[in-house]
Amino acid sequence: MAERLECLETNRRLFIQASSHELKNPITSIKGITSLIHMKLNAGKPVSDIIRMVEILEKEVDRLSKLLIEILEAFMTERNGMVLKTSFRKINITEVIQNVLKPLMAAESGYNFIFKTGGEDNIYILADPDRIGDVMRNLYNNAMKYSPRGSDIITRVQLLKDSVQVSVEDRGIGIPEDQTDRIFDSFYRGSNIRGNDPGGMGLGLYICREIVKKHGGSIWAENNADGGSKFYIKLPLCKEV
Ligand code: ADP
């Protein structure tokens, strides 16, 4: 009994920490877009420019409310543990990636990261677009957090025999070779952040791994030969035609 209670308490703590981590992303995005709108209004930019930003803002606010509802639901049903409610459907992976990139590029435009994308379009998987979006957003946030401003962040979508492989490559600080697996553990933070810690709780990659696992896929990290790191996710293709 004592062991079970301790386990529940650990799950509850993990749940609260994971939720607050997930809430941080849309809030950062909303903050960025709001100041951008302010700047554009001050600079007398055309209304069409501002309407586009407001549309992105609306989407981010929607995402934030969805997350809040999930958290409330999880508490109300006393479902203590990771929030991993999934709703699977046939989705185009490139579309999900583009939707994640759009607000990021707008909100972070002050940092001038160069987002490059390549590979194949029209690859379909059976997945929850919100959850896969969460994975991509986490990978991009890390790439921006651990790389010099203005550097390239490259996404590639590759069709394999019965899966799709997505990679996110950066030109940042890289990962210590002996920690490329451990960084996916909960609350684990690499020794590469010492001395210049941009802040974090070591939960982002753990959440990514849980989501990818729930989709029957895998996630891993490697270092680039010429610096920076490269994260991969591999997800099974949608079988139905
Ligand atoms: P956090 O960023 O909050 O520490 P994460 O779970 O997202 O938590 O990442 C775990 C650790 O993995 C980080 O502390 C960092 O050491 C390493 N890491 C993650 N992404 C990158 C990256 N793009 N480049 C270098 N190191 C990274």
Side-chain angles (χ1 to χ4, degrees):
M1 181 65 173
E3 226 171 72
R4 212 177 108 70
L5 281 176
E6 199 180 309
C7 177
L8 270 179
E9 179 53 26
T10 309
N11 275 344
R12 200 183 60 84
R13 261 207 325 269
L14 203 59
F15 166 74
I16 293 169
Q17 270 160 328
S19 316
S20 25
H21 182 274
E22 284 305 292
L23 285 173
K24 249 174 52 191
N25 292 340
I27 291 172
T28 310
S29 191
I30 289 166
K31 215 171 137 213
I33 300 169
T34 317
S35 12
L36 218 59
I37 291 175
H38 205 175
M39 269 164 50
K40 283 189 186 271
L41 282 172
N42 278 344
K45 293 281 176 198
V47 176
S48 57
D49 252 35
I50 294 156
I51 289 177
R52 207 174 56 81
M53 310 251 87
V54 173
E55 280 166 3
I56 298 172
L57 199 56
E58 269 172 1
K59 281 207 178 123
E60 289 298 293
V61 173
D62 279 351
R63 198 154 67 83
L64 193 59
S65 10
K66 253 168 120 179
L67 274 172
L68 281 174
I69 290 167
E70 276 182 6
I71 292 168
L72 287 176
E73 272 178 5
F75 270 118
M76 279 190 303
T77 56
E78 292 178 19
R79 207 163 43 86
N80 293 317
M82 279 279 304
V83 199
L84 271 185
K85 230 167 82 180
T86 37
S87 167
F88 287 76
R89 61 185 171 85
K90 189 177 170 181
I91 58 163
N92 181 333
I93 182 95
T94 314
E95 258 173 44
V96 174
I97 296 171
Q98 294 297 352
N99 284 339
V100 172
L101 277 175
K102 243 186 276 167
L104 276 185
M105 289 161 93
E108 307 297 342
S109 60
Y111 300 132
N112 296 323
F113 279 97
I114 303 164
F115 286 95
K116 295 180 179 167
T117 49
E120 290 159 81
D121 300 326
N122 298 323
I123 298 179
Y124 289 88
I125 57 170
L126 198 61
D128 183 324
D130 291 339
R131 294 285 87 88
I132 296 298
D134 289 341
V135 172
M136 294 308 297
R137 213 168 285 111
N138 264 315
L139 295 182
Y140 291 134
N141 281 335
N142 278 349
M144 292 190 282
K145 220 160 80 168
Y146 299 113
S147 304
R149 284 183 186 197
S151 55
D152 291 351
I153 296 174
I154 307 153
T155 309
R156 279 195 194 87
V157 181
Q158 198 186 347
L159 180 65
L160 304 179
K161 195 166 156 273
D162 45 18
S163 59
V164 59
Q165 183 170 290
V166 181
S167 60
V168 175
E169 185 180 338
D170 64 48
R171 302 275 176 258
I173 58 174
I175 307 153
E177 273 308 329
D178 62 333
Q179 293 165 27
T180 50
D181 287 335
R182 285 164 75 193
I183 52 171
F184 294 94
D185 292 345
S186 54
F187 304 112
Y188 188 84
R189 309 199 67 216
S191 57
N192 54 352
I193 59 165
R194 275 181 217 142
N196 189 19
D197 184 354
M201 287 194 298
L203 278 174
L205 290 179
Y206 168 73
I207 297 168
C208 290
R209 192 182 58 184
E210 291 300 300
I211 294 173
V212 171
K213 263 196 329 209
K214 196 145 189 191
H215 283 77
S218 49
I219 181 166
W220 69 99
E222 286 172 6
N223 280 306
N224 287 321
D226 52 352
S229 56
K230 196 163 175 177
F231 284 80
Y232 294 88
I233 57 170
K234 198 161 130 183
L235 297 163
L237 289 180
C238 185
K239 295 236 167 58
E240 61 179 280
V241 192

